[in-house]
Amino acid sequence: MKIEILTLFPAMFDGYLDESIMRRAQERGQLAVQMHNIRDYAAGKHRITDDPPYGGGGGMVLKPEPLFGAVEAIERAADTPVILLSPQGRPFTQAIAQELSQYPHLILLCGRYEGVDERVRQHLVTDEISIGDYVLTGGELAAMVIVDAVTRLLPDVLGAAGAADNDSHATGLLEGSHYTKPATFREWAVPDVLRSGHAAKIAQWRRQGALRRTWERRPEMLLTAVLSEEDKWFLQELAGD
Ligand code: ADE
């Protein structure tokens, strides 16, 4: 997977991409990230990338020329997504991370200031994504979120095969509890079933833990989750308590 990031602040990405799983994925050739400074595509001695909006109203708007110049300088297939990060985009979800992880090449365009010239939206980008209903100073953090969520879904990036399959949200449910050693910590013991070695009972305990946590914290997710008859019985019991 190659991800190209267009930003006015490439140095913001240093650090995050140089550690842990993002670093390992790049070292193994599973991920290649290339930064492009939008300012390099701005004309004139001062390389201006923003201007006040026509009609007034304050704030600054990213100019179209450097953004078109930066994207058009990238060699890309006709179906390569060109994604603008902005609070007006479609809300990012695990399903969108899955969708994006299928492409060999992504282009992420980080907005700034009050926004971008509308012609960028109309004639340059193919998608617009928001990472949540709050306003950041720019799209850089959002781009990092997308790089992270997509990279961990790429084949063999996570250690254990299928480690992402049971993630919260991947199954349509939140994950239940996890425990590790010690078996007793400050008088708080790990549930016996997890130490029983009984695989079927452990699987049932985990499933019920996921259902309980989802019911408690994100009940609306149960409306779209794929549920077995046993799951439904368990939820009915929970609701009756
Ligand atoms: N830029 C500013 N706020 C944003 C958000 N919530 N998501 C994506 N990009 C943004």
Side-chain angles (χ1 to χ4, degrees):
M1 159 81 75
K2 179 163 194 191
I3 303 183
E4 310 210 47
I5 303 178
L6 281 60
T7 168
L8 283 166
F9 302 99
M12 283 185 176
F13 294 80
D14 295 348
Y16 195 78
L17 293 174
D18 298 337
E19 300 284 346
S20 184
I21 291 176
M22 297 303 113
R23 177 194 181 126
R24 200 179 61 196
Q26 291 171 92
E27 284 171 355
R28 290 178 176 170
Q30 294 155 327
L31 170 71
V33 181
Q34 195 175 344
M35 308 303 306
H36 301 269
N37 192 333
I38 294 166
R39 196 169 299 284
D40 293 342
Y41 297 87
K45 197 172 85 183
H46 299 294
R47 297 196 172 274
I48 291 173
T49 53
D50 58 329
D51 253 330
Y54 271 116
M60 295 293 265
V61 176
L62 285 180
K63 290 162 66 63
E65 306 96 312
L67 296 174
F68 274 79
V71 171
E72 286 168 356
I74 296 172
E75 207 173 302
R76 64 193 201 277
D79 68 343
T80 299
V82 180
I83 304 168
L84 174 66
L85 287 319
S86 109
Q88 300 179 16
R90 58 179 176 141
F92 190 54
T93 60
Q94 190 65 24
I96 297 178
Q98 291 275 8
E99 171 195 322
L100 298 180
S101 72
Q102 307 303 309
Y103 287 94
H105 188 196
L106 300 175
I107 298 174
L108 305 181
L109 185 54
C110 303
R112 275 264 140 193
Y113 312 111
E114 293 301 295
V116 301
D117 187 284
E118 189 64 19
R119 289 162 290 193
V120 168
R121 224 172 235 123
Q122 289 170 338
H123 305 293
L124 184 64
V125 306
T126 62
D127 196 357
E128 187 168 349
I129 292 178
S130 162
I131 60 162
D133 288 344
Y134 39 79
V135 182
L136 303 165
T137 55
E140 284 76 10
L141 280 172
M144 268 188 266
V145 166
I146 290 177
V147 171
D148 185 300
V150 167
T151 299
R152 61 190 293 291
L153 295 177
L154 298 176
D156 305 320
V157 163
L158 294 187
D165 294 351
N166 286 320
D167 281 345
S168 289
H169 297 289
T171 59
L173 297 176
L174 300 181
E175 268 191 275
S177 319
H178 296 292
Y179 292 89
T180 186
K181 289 179 195 131
T184 301
F185 170 67
R186 296 189 181 170
E187 322 274 306
W188 301 308
V190 171
D192 287 338
V193 59
L194 293 179
R195 304 177 62 211
S196 68
H198 194 305
K201 283 208 174 117
I202 293 172
Q204 185 191 42
W205 184 89
R206 289 202 168 127
R207 182 72 187 172
Q208 294 183 348
L211 290 164
R212 182 182 295 107
R213 187 152 285 181
T214 310
W215 184 72
E216 287 167 353
R217 299 186 178 189
R218 296 288 303 276
E220 82 285 1
M221 288 172 67
L222 294 170
L223 299 173
T224 48
V226 180
L227 301 174
S228 67
E229 287 306 309
E230 196 183 333
D231 292 340
K232 289 179 193 162
W233 274 110
F234 179 73
L235 287 167
Q236 263 172 17
E237 248 173 66
L238 270 184
D241 279 351

